[in-house]
Amino acid sequence: MSAFDFEGCGCSCSAGSENPGTNNGSIKDECLIAFKVYDFFRIQECLTKDELGYSRAAEDVVTDGTKISAGDVIVPPEGAASVVIEDLEIEKVNVLKKKRNSFRSGYYDVDLQFIFNYKLIFSEAGGCVIGSIPATNTFSAKVSLFGSIDTDVNLSTDLFGGAGCSNSITLDANPFVWIESKSVALASDLVYPSSCCGSDGSAAGVKVTIGLFAIIKLFRIVNLLVKSAGFCIPEELEDISSTDPCDFFENLDFPMDSFAPPQKREFDEGISSNISPASENRGSGENEENKKHCCGCGG
């Protein structure tokens, strides 16, 4: 897909296409307000159970008759022999602090906090589930990114404001932070105090290991001069409201792969057993009258 290709939204804007825009195929300079990235990098880090510490309750819960308040360390239910982590997600990433680096000109130090939410599923020795508790962990990171010089310019806009006298907001012209992130559940462990040589002072609980992928960017709102072929002209929407549902259904492939899932070789090679509507292989003894009744539209 090229930089000007929007086929997915029904818009023919591909460079060199027959529908180049509203400028008769010519290219012109245009000024755009853009989010320009000044610096970015990626993180791929395995957050160990020692880094994350004990899992804590994401909300108030009651287990074994004992209330656990949000934020408290989760104590495994009585009889728990194993624990698994499910439904892991990054609830949000907080930008705790953003300030100019004291030693590297043009760089900004950013303090981030990743908040992970998930469920802990506890099972007894026989494998039966005996409890589920919503849990959370946080991870803090500090990064340094280039954002260019400081400026005391303010940006004001009514884009996000309503009607009335105070219908505009003011933005800092210095760089903003953009974070894209994804998490992967890697392991979960029950942790009990040591008993062989006396207690080591640790408490019973759960610790998890989480894989973190993240891309962190520093960007500014700037004016950019770009080459443009004009506005995209959307294609006319095809009218499908009058399509007969049986005609639509009968033109679908028969989903044979759902009835006989492909084996490894066929799967790897992208070979499908689905039967196209044009195929004559519709089953023995089938006639047109049967087809109509199978569709549900027969008289």
Side-chain angles (χ1 to χ4, degrees), residues 171-182:
L171 302 174
D172 190 345
N174 287 310
F176 296 91
V177 182
W178 184 283
I179 306 112
E180 303 165 43
S181 56
K182 175 181 174 60

Side-chain angles (χ1 to χ4, degrees), residues 161-173:
C165 297
S166 302
N167 65 343
S168 65
I169 62 171
T170 300
L171 302 174
D172 190 345

Side-chain angles (χ1 to χ4, degrees), residues 50-92:
D50 293 330
E51 291 177 291
L52 293 174
Y54 286 101
S55 298
R56 296 180 178 273
E59 58 188 56
D60 294 345
V61 294
V62 176
T63 177
D64 288 343
T66 302
K67 180 180 178 181
I68 303 177
S69 300
D72 288 350
V73 171
I74 293 174
V75 178
E78 185 72 24
S82 63
V83 62
V84 295
I85 177 174
E86 293 185 356
D87 301 334
L88 173 67
E89 65 176 5
I90 298 176
E91 180 189 10
K92 63 178 177 179

